[in-house]
Amino acid sequence: MTVGYALGGGGVRGAVEVGMLRALFEVGITPDLVVGTSIGAINGAALAANPTPSVVDDLEKAWSSEPARAIYGESWVKQMSRLARSGTHLSTSKPLRAMVNGIIGEGARFEDLPVPLAVCAASIERAAEQWFDSGLIIDAVLASSAVPAALPPVVIDGEHYVDGGVVNSIPVGEAIHRGATEVFVLQVGRVEEPLEPPKSPTDVGRVTFEIARRHRFARDMAQVPEGVSVHILPYGGHQPGDKKLGAYRNMDLTKPRMDAAYRASLEYLAEHGVSR
């Protein structure tokens, strides 16, 4: 049996994946391969570099660090000023680079990881899904996490990349494609939330993106081959203010998200008799 972890995107909600990892390690489940998108690429890179229970503590520290808060914590004035200068993005990727390098080490390469890792980004020039699994990890992870309008595209070998969530937000199919026969899906929960017709301009973007990401996930789930088992870990439910416009900037709920996902995932694993 080959165990694959598929870590999905979701911005600050990606903290739930840390709680899920704690639950998985507690019951003795470790990955043979890791695939990740966006925030899942960041958490996944940390896991692939250190596939032991101590990675959970490392991630908790990283999520509460100053670089993590700086990613979304700039004032609106600074963000709007940067948007005016750049014409394309609100934030700088420098804090994100610092956080990822702090987790995996500067200069880390895919080939040196103890567990195989692949991360997804979206190519602008080719309008295509791109999976990175060789070379320097940092640029690939930054490309996978380059949320459109929030962060600048990342250039790799002359090609521009944006957030992998645009093309494959919850990469369960990629884990199977790479040989996983038992897949644990670490996702931020939005696939479980009902959608309603948009009532505002911000709703239009949110609902449209959700349709795209859920359609891909539903299609991949419908095509799971015989003999492959998939476990979709629960995220632990809503936190206060999740539906507010500024929720994507709120780092104050990081620990509650981790704790809720840990409890919910531990309960799920016990109910389904999943352990090693």
Side-chain angles (χ1 to χ4, degrees), residues 156-225:
I156 299 177
D157 295 331
E159 196 165 348
H160 296 76
Y161 294 94
V162 294
D163 196 296
V166 173
V167 288
N168 196 340
S169 187
I170 308 174
V172 59
E174 187 66 20
I176 296 170
H177 171 72
R178 290 176 179 267
T181 55
E182 185 173 28
V183 182
F184 291 87
V185 179
L186 288 71
Q187 51 86 37
V188 304
R190 288 199 301 253
V191 293
E192 303 167 14
E193 300 170 5
L195 289 179
E196 298 176 353
K199 298 177 182 178
S200 69
T202 55
D203 278 352
V204 172
R206 179 183 61 81
V207 170
T208 302
F209 179 67
E210 281 302 312
I211 291 171
R213 72 192 294 270
R214 295 185 194 192
H215 168 76
R216 174 65 185 266
F217 180 58
R219 187 188 72 181
D220 285 352
M221 288 299 297
Q223 295 176 349
V224 173

Side-chain angles (χ1 to χ4, degrees), residues 75-225:
S75 69
W76 283 113
V77 173
K78 285 187 177 180
Q79 289 188 328
M80 294 310 294
S81 175
R82 183 175 291 106
L83 178 61
R85 294 194 306 271
S86 69
T88 58
H89 54 275
L90 293 164
S91 302
T92 173
S93 59
K94 289 181 180 179
L96 182 57
R97 180 179 289 273
M99 187 179 85
V100 176
N101 277 335
I103 297 172
I104 64 172
E106 194 167 356
R109 300 181 66 85
F110 284 92
E111 293 86 351
D112 299 328
L113 295 172
V115 171
L117 168 72
V119 301
C120 179
S123 164
I124 292 178
E125 285 83 356
R126 291 182 290 113
E129 180 177 326
Q130 174 69 43
W131 282 92
F132 292 97
D133 57 10
S134 63
L136 289 173
I137 298 172
I138 182 63
D139 287 339
V141 169
L142 290 180
S144 182
S145 311
V147 180
L151 293 168
V154 174
V155 181
I156 299 177
D157 295 331
E159 196 165 348
H160 296 76
Y161 294 94
V162 294
D163 196 296
V166 173
V167 288
N168 196 340
S169 187
I170 308 174
V172 59
E174 187 66 20
I176 296 170
H177 171 72
R178 290 176 179 267
T181 55
E182 185 173 28
V183 182
F184 291 87
V185 179
L186 288 71
Q187 51 86 37
V188 304
R190 288 199 301 253
V191 293
E192 303 167 14
E193 300 170 5
L195 289 179
E196 298 176 353
K199 298 177 182 178
S200 69
T202 55
D203 278 352
V204 172
R206 179 183 61 81
V207 170
T208 302
F209 179 67
E210 281 302 312
I211 291 171
R213 72 192 294 270
R214 295 185 194 192
H215 168 76
R216 174 65 185 266
F217 180 58
R219 187 188 72 181
D220 285 352
M221 288 299 297
Q223 295 176 349
V224 173

Side-chain angles (χ1 to χ4, degrees), residues 2-3 24 65 91 137 157 163 169 195 200 205 212 226 239 241-242 249 256:
T2 300
V3 176
L24 286 165
S65 67
S91 302
I137 298 172
D157 295 331
D163 196 296
S169 187
L195 289 179
S200 69
E226 187 175 349
Q239 295 296 326
D242 271 353
R249 295 163 52 89

Side-chain angles (χ1 to χ4, degrees), residues 28-78:
I29 299 170
T30 57
D32 298 308
L33 63 92
V34 177
V35 296
T37 296
S38 196
I39 193 65
I42 298 171
N43 291 332
L47 173 64
N50 178 18
T52 72
S54 67
V55 74
V56 176
D57 295 330
D58 293 342
L59 280 169
E60 287 184 351
K61 291 176 184 176
W63 271 86
S64 61
S65 67
E66 284 305 313
R69 289 188 173 273
I71 294 169
Y72 296 109
E74 278 189 325
S75 69
W76 283 113
V77 173
K78 285 187 177 180

